[in-house]
Amino acid sequence: MPAARVLIDGPSELVFDYAIPDGLPVVPGCRVRIPLRNKLSQGTVLDLVATEDLGFALRPLHSLSDPEPLITPKLLEAGRWIASYYGCSIESVIRALLPEAVRTEDNSAKVRKFAVLEGPPPQEVLARLDKRAPKQSAILALLGHAPENKLPLTELGDGASASVKSLAKQGLIRLVEEEVRRDPEADGIEEILPDSPLPLNPEQAAALEVILTSLSSSTPSTPPSPILLHGVTGSGKTEVYLQAARATLDLGKTVLVLVPEISLTPQTVRRFRARFAAIQEQVAVLHSNLSQGERFDEWHRIRKGIARIVIGARSAVFAPLPDLGLILVDEEHENSYKQDQIPRYHGRDVAVLRAHLEGCSIVLGSATPSLESFQNTLDGKYQLVRLQQRADGQSLPLIRILDMRLESKKQKGGMAILSERLRSALEQRLAKNEQSILFLNRRGFARSLQCPSCGHVCMCPHCAVALTYHREDERLCCHVCGHQAVVPRKCPECRDPAIALQGFGTQKVEEVLAKVLPEARIARIDADAMRKKNALRDLLNAFQARKIDVLIGTQMIAKGLHFPNVTLVGILNADIGLHVPDFRAGERTFQLLTQVAGRAGRGELEGEVIVQTFTPHSPSIQFARHHDFDGFAEQELEFRRQFSYPPFAHCAVLTSRSTHERRAEFTLQTLFRRLGENCPAGVILGEPMPSPLVRSHGQFRFQLMLRCKNARPLSRHVQQVLQKTTLPDDVTVVFDMDAWSFT
Ligand code: ADP
Ligand code: ZN
């Protein structure tokens, strides 16, 4: 008899083996109740293990919490992979796999009691009740007229319970309990109008064909290769997704749609709802605003196969859909797919793994594919499909690059915020009653040193990333290799002593705008707007309804928005994202510019994009300007290859944090020394150094970077060292495999 190896719920990660009572259908992934000390606890069965020669009898487990295993074998397998690849505990992964709402026993399906008429009551009974129990007779009449002769008890009037009991006793009605769904969309905030498929243009048709071929050829033993759908902004990727989803449902399979963030992609979600409005109850949208009860219901609706299309952000990659046929990852390049808490998995990468395990098709879509995914197409691991035209036949917007060095000289008085050109373009739109969006790039806290008169940025000679300025000790520091330099008194390029810290925020921009465009209706989207429930949606709706002339926001609103009346998009400080100590800086700037530009001219009207920059010749800006993804990718990949950055190596970051600066630093140095011993061949171990954001939330942070062509040896080595090292109580060490953030 095998025993059940059970991971006990709770932070202490206890794993114990329990004997399985006769006949109990226990398999891995089951939720079970188990005796622990003198209480009953809950846990998850990780494995069935052999129990010969133990020499003692195991305690039997108590019972199954759910009749079915809640985690499917495929998801459990994915969970094991995540734990070993990202170097985190299986317990933390199970937490991600089974949301809190599903794990706790306090949540259960909401049931409602109904009264059902047991057939037409005999005349003499009715006559008797009419006289002696008019309330009962009224209830029978109500039920007689109700659909299916059935009504919830709550609708039978106040104080009906005695009458209902009596009627049931006489055998005239029957009481039943049914599960009801706590429908997250039941408030009916917005009406969704059903729509129907559009006739596809030839590019779209070809893309759909590739997906259909993948769908029909996939079997669990031969998973099809992932498809990268590279479609320029407005090329109609969503229409392709919708029709591919329909085809998958028609094959009797289910569909998982991942979007970067539900609140930031309302239009994509709305389009899925509209297209599948006729089967609304088969669509589940998982978002962070769900109550525990709603989440419980949605999860079980998915698990039971009632919901056949699931739309959600990162964590929805674990949605327990049976018969998965297709996974769609929209905006696959987005950073928000990477979770910045344990388990630090990348939603897109887990989606690819899951598709592989389930043997289903997967489409990664983007106007600006990540270089990781793109390189996979060059290596022949992924299929590349392209949409190069806008679906509405419009041309891509004209992008103008404005040299802010000249502007700063013209305007005198430091760094210019708003160029003449952009100001007059805004005025023109206002006069024509068209709308504008202004983007302010505000990424990271790290500050580089840039000269306002020539645009020169101090770079690391070894790593080709911007050096970070540390105000505390007036020095420049490379956050990849540790190279240090003194702060120059004059610009090394043009000798201007004005080289200094620069930067401005959304508020400042709003002030300046309000001054130059006093009659414009201006609104700002920032992190605060995100926090309040519905505030963001209300703002975007107001913008859609043309109640706002100029919308100012950070890059978080650059995703998937479609406003036909927007004809001008301005990017105020294209440089900020370029000079952060992050090898993806160029890629992110290219993506941001391309995505942002894609917001302009999405209707009948032609769009214009104005990019303000101090480094107009930087390749990411120039390639974005020419809508040249291939050119950008070629040059950027060459740089990545030369310096051993992803996609040519996996890159991980080890961070130590503590309120005690010395201890944080010392701990990381100890780890660095140990990592250096028996370091597997091919691992490039970087020096420990202060994080670009040295102090955050009262803690000091130090970090080091590791790179290796293969992820496994790197991850294993770090985990082994961490296991062998006792950390001081007040130091936290974080390992981030395939890191996406270096601050
Ligand atoms: P993407 O997601 O690639 O940025 P969208 O899917 O938002 O592009 O499509 C842009 C616009 O083009 C939308 O308004 C969409 O309804 C429209 N569209 C897409 N496909 C077609 C088509 N085949 N015929 C006409 N219009 C289309
Ligand atoms: Zn360096």
Side-chain angles (χ1 to χ4, degrees):
M1 248 325 248
R5 178 151 293 170
V6 179
L7 170 73
I8 320 269
D9 286 5
S12 29
E13 312 232 337
L14 300 175
V15 176
F16 290 124
D17 293 349
Y18 288 89
I20 300 172
D22 271 349
L24 207 59
V26 174
V27 293
C30 277
R31 296 281 293 160
V32 288
R33 298 190 194 90
I34 60 264
L36 184 70
R37 297 186 194 98
N38 13 2
K39 281 196 314 198
L40 273 190
S41 293
Q42 281 220 77
T44 310
V45 178
L46 295 178
D47 241 329
L48 298 185
V49 293
T51 54
E52 291 116 62
D53 310 328
L54 268 180
F56 60 90
L58 287 173
R59 289 177 89 176
L61 58 81
H62 180 271
S63 53
L64 288 172
S65 313
D66 283 273
E68 304 248 333
L70 286 190
I71 306 179
T72 61
K74 298 278 163 58
L75 275 171
L76 199 57
E77 200 177 336
R80 289 212 172 84
W81 183 91
I82 291 171
S84 108
Y85 183 91
Y86 292 102
C88 54
S89 67
I90 184 79
E91 139 79 7
S92 69
V93 181
I94 300 273
R95 280 175 173 277
L97 282 171
L98 284 182
E100 174 83 26
V102 177
R103 257 179 295 125
T104 51
E105 271 196 297
D106 318 343
N107 283 307
S108 50
K110 185 168 156 192
V111 291
R112 224 168 156 189
K113 284 191 180 153
F114 292 84
V116 190
L117 201 57
E118 285 283 23
Q123 274 309 320
E124 66 275 16
V125 174
L126 276 182
R128 175 171 53 87
L129 289 180
D130 260 346
K131 244 187 260 151
R132 292 212 249 131
K135 247 190 189 164
Q136 294 184 26
S137 137
I139 290 173
L140 291 181
L142 266 177
L143 289 173
H145 291 107
E148 298 176 60
N149 296 347
K150 173 174 148 190
L151 281 174
L153 294 192
T154 47
E155 287 177 30
L156 295 178
D158 289 339
S161 66
S163 312
V164 167
K165 249 186 222 155
S166 168
L167 286 168
K169 217 160 148 195
Q170 299 167 61
L172 295 169
I173 62 168
R174 149 171 63 95
L175 298 178
V176 295
E177 287 192 346
E178 278 178 21
E179 279 186 22
V180 288
R181 174 183 171 207
R182 285 157 283 204
D183 184 355
E185 311 299 328
D187 329 349
I189 329 148
E190 55 182 329
E191 197 190 352
I192 301 284
L193 299 172
D195 75 351
S196 34
L198 298 170
L200 298 182
N201 65 36
E203 280 188 333
Q204 288 173 312
L208 182 63
E209 198 49 46
V210 173
I211 304 173
L212 296 182
T213 306
S214 163
L215 276 174
S216 59
S217 65
S218 67
T219 67
S221 53
T222 54
S225 48
I227 298 166
L228 178 65
L229 178 60
H230 174 205
V232 298
T233 53
S235 58
K237 293 184 287 298
T238 315
E239 186 61 37
V240 175
Y241 299 151
L242 289 166
Q243 298 198 18
R246 162 64 69 199
T248 311
L249 295 180
D250 289 347
L251 289 172
K253 297 189 175 170
T254 59
V255 181
L256 173 60
V257 185
L258 297 181
V259 294
E261 227 171 300
I262 291 281
S263 61
L264 294 178
T265 47
Q267 292 173 340
T268 305
V269 175
R270 202 177 295 148
R271 281 165 74 183
F272 268 88
R273 298 190 84 102
R275 183 61 54 87
F276 297 102
I279 50 164
Q280 208 185 86
E281 66 289 346
Q282 297 181 19
V283 182
V285 179
L286 298 175
H287 51 78
S288 50
N289 277 344
L290 293 186
S291 71
Q292 292 281 56
E294 285 166 351
R295 194 173 296 278
F296 178 93
D297 287 0
E298 292 302 273
W299 197 91
H300 282 283
R301 265 166 26 85
I302 296 166
R303 177 83 182 89
K304 289 180 190 148
I306 301 167
R308 303 190 64 76
I309 307 182
V310 175
I311 307 170
R314 180 179 62 224
S315 63
V317 72
F318 301 119
L321 284 155
D323 309 317
L324 195 53
L326 176 64
I327 305 179
L328 298 166
V329 185
D330 193 23
E331 311 283 359
E332 67 89 28
H333 65 279
E334 274 292 333
N335 302 342
S336 52
Y337 282 118
K338 177 79 156 111
Q339 167 133 314
D340 62 0
Q341 286 161 11
I342 295 171
R344 296 171 191 274
Y345 65 91
H346 194 294
R348 177 202 59 213
D349 296 346
V350 173
V352 171
L353 167 80
R354 185 164 179 204
H356 182 82
L357 293 174
E358 308 254 6
C360 76
S361 301
I362 180 165
V363 178
L364 312 177
S366 176
T368 50
S370 64
L371 290 176
E372 283 81 357
S373 297
F374 188 66
Q375 182 63 35
N376 276 331
T377 69
L378 299 179
D379 292 343
K381 291 184 194 152
Y382 293 3
Q383 296 183 69
L384 178 62
V385 182
R386 284 189 149 152
L387 306 177
Q388 318 215 35
Q389 307 292 329
R390 280 194 157 180
D392 54 12
Q394 288 274 351
S395 47
L396 287 167
L398 184 65
I399 301 183
R400 270 182 230 288
I401 309 291
L402 262 176
D403 189 341
M404 292 302 280
R405 296 171 301 186
L406 304 176
E407 205 67 30
S408 288
K409 268 181 202 140
K410 256 198 298 196
Q411 296 187 12
K412 299 201 170 75
M415 189 170 263
I417 293 181
L418 196 63
S419 62
E420 266 306 306
R421 182 73 190 239
L422 184 52
R423 189 183 56 78
S424 71
L426 282 165
E427 278 168 354
Q428 281 165 21
R429 298 301 129 81
L430 207 55
K432 284 195 281 184
N433 210 3
E434 293 170 6
Q435 293 171 293
S436 310
I437 302 182
L438 291 184
F439 284 92
L440 189 67
N441 198 356
R442 236 189 357 182
R443 124 142 263 119
F445 304 80
R447 290 284 164 82
S448 54
L449 219 52
Q450 183 170 34
C451 172
S453 52
C454 79
H456 174 81
V457 175
C458 300
M459 306 286 284
C460 173
H462 314 295
C463 306
V465 298
L467 293 170
T468 302
Y469 174 67
H470 286 259
R471 197 196 301 260
E472 311 83 61
D473 45 9
E474 283 289 315
R475 74 200 156 103
L476 295 167
C477 176
C478 168
H479 282 280
V480 177
C481 74
H483 174 83
Q484 299 205 0
V486 291
V487 174
R489 298 239 196 95
K490 288 180 188 150
C491 171
E493 252 338 279
C494 75
R495 312 256 128 227
D496 190 325
I499 188 163
L501 264 194
Q502 307 287 347
F504 43 86
T506 35
Q507 269 170 353
K508 178 87 183 167
V509 173
E510 202 180 4
E511 268 171 48
V512 171
L513 266 188
K515 229 179 267 165
V516 296
L517 300 173
E519 70 284 26
R521 293 165 300 176
I522 301 170
R524 169 162 60 99
I525 286 190
D526 55 19
D528 292 338
M530 295 284 298
R531 244 174 263 127
K532 281 177 235 131
K533 192 177 175 179
N534 299 339
L536 179 68
R537 196 190 59 205
D538 295 347
L539 225 163
L540 292 178
N541 284 342
F543 192 58
Q544 177 109 33
R546 303 195 187 185
K547 290 178 188 152
I548 296 169
D549 300 309
V550 184
L551 188 63
I552 312 173
T554 54
Q555 64 264 39
M556 72 189 185
I557 63 167
K559 297 159 204 178
L561 299 178
H562 183 92
F563 298 107
N565 195 44
V566 170
T567 56
L568 172 68
V569 168
I571 301 173
L572 293 169
N573 53 347
D575 297 286
I576 294 247
L578 209 46
H579 312 306
V580 293
D582 182 338
F583 61 85
R584 288 195 181 90
E587 181 179 15
R588 288 194 170 130
T589 301
F590 177 83
Q591 289 169 346
L592 176 74
L593 262 53
T594 308
Q595 296 283 349
V596 163
R599 301 308 125 219
R602 308 254 311 186
E604 308 281 282
L605 308 163
E606 207 173 313
E608 181 184 8
V609 179
I610 294 180
V611 178
Q612 300 191 157
T613 169
F614 288 89
T615 43
H617 301 295
S618 118
S620 18
I621 292 178
Q622 285 301 325
F623 283 119
R625 174 185 178 198
H626 293 108
H627 306 288
D628 182 5
F629 176 82
D630 286 356
F632 170 74
E634 191 183 330
Q635 144 151 356
E636 185 71 12
L637 284 169
E638 188 44 46
F639 150 69
R640 303 278 184 95
R641 193 193 305 271
Q642 229 171 46
F643 289 91
S644 293
Y645 286 127
F648 302 101
H650 289 268
C651 174
V653 170
L654 196 64
T655 310
S656 68
R657 288 200 309 252
S658 173
T659 46
H660 296 273
E661 184 172 10
R662 288 280 148 261
R663 255 176 281 186
E665 188 174 11
F666 183 74
T667 303
L668 196 66
Q669 263 155 5
T670 309
L671 288 170
F672 170 70
R673 239 189 1 261
R674 297 201 175 167
L675 284 167
E677 297 159 11
N678 309 320
C679 196
V683 173
I684 307 171
L685 178 61
E687 294 273 336
M689 67 199 56
S691 300
L693 185 63
V694 188
R695 257 184 103 160
S696 158
H697 305 293
Q699 295 203 307
F700 294 89
R701 303 161 7 127
F702 292 81
Q703 68 182 41
L704 62 81
M705 189 192 268
L706 298 115
R707 280 172 285 169
C708 186
K709 210 174 168 108
N710 300 311
R712 287 313 178 110
L714 192 166
S715 182
R716 209 174 308 129
H717 182 56
V718 174
Q719 284 169 65
Q720 278 166 0
V721 169
L722 284 175
Q723 263 159 23
K724 277 190 291 192
T725 311
T726 329
L727 301 174
D729 286 343
D730 52 0
V731 178
T732 313
V733 170
V734 172
F735 174 56
D736 190 5
M737 185 65 199
D738 291 342
W740 277 68
S741 161
F742 301 92
T743 51

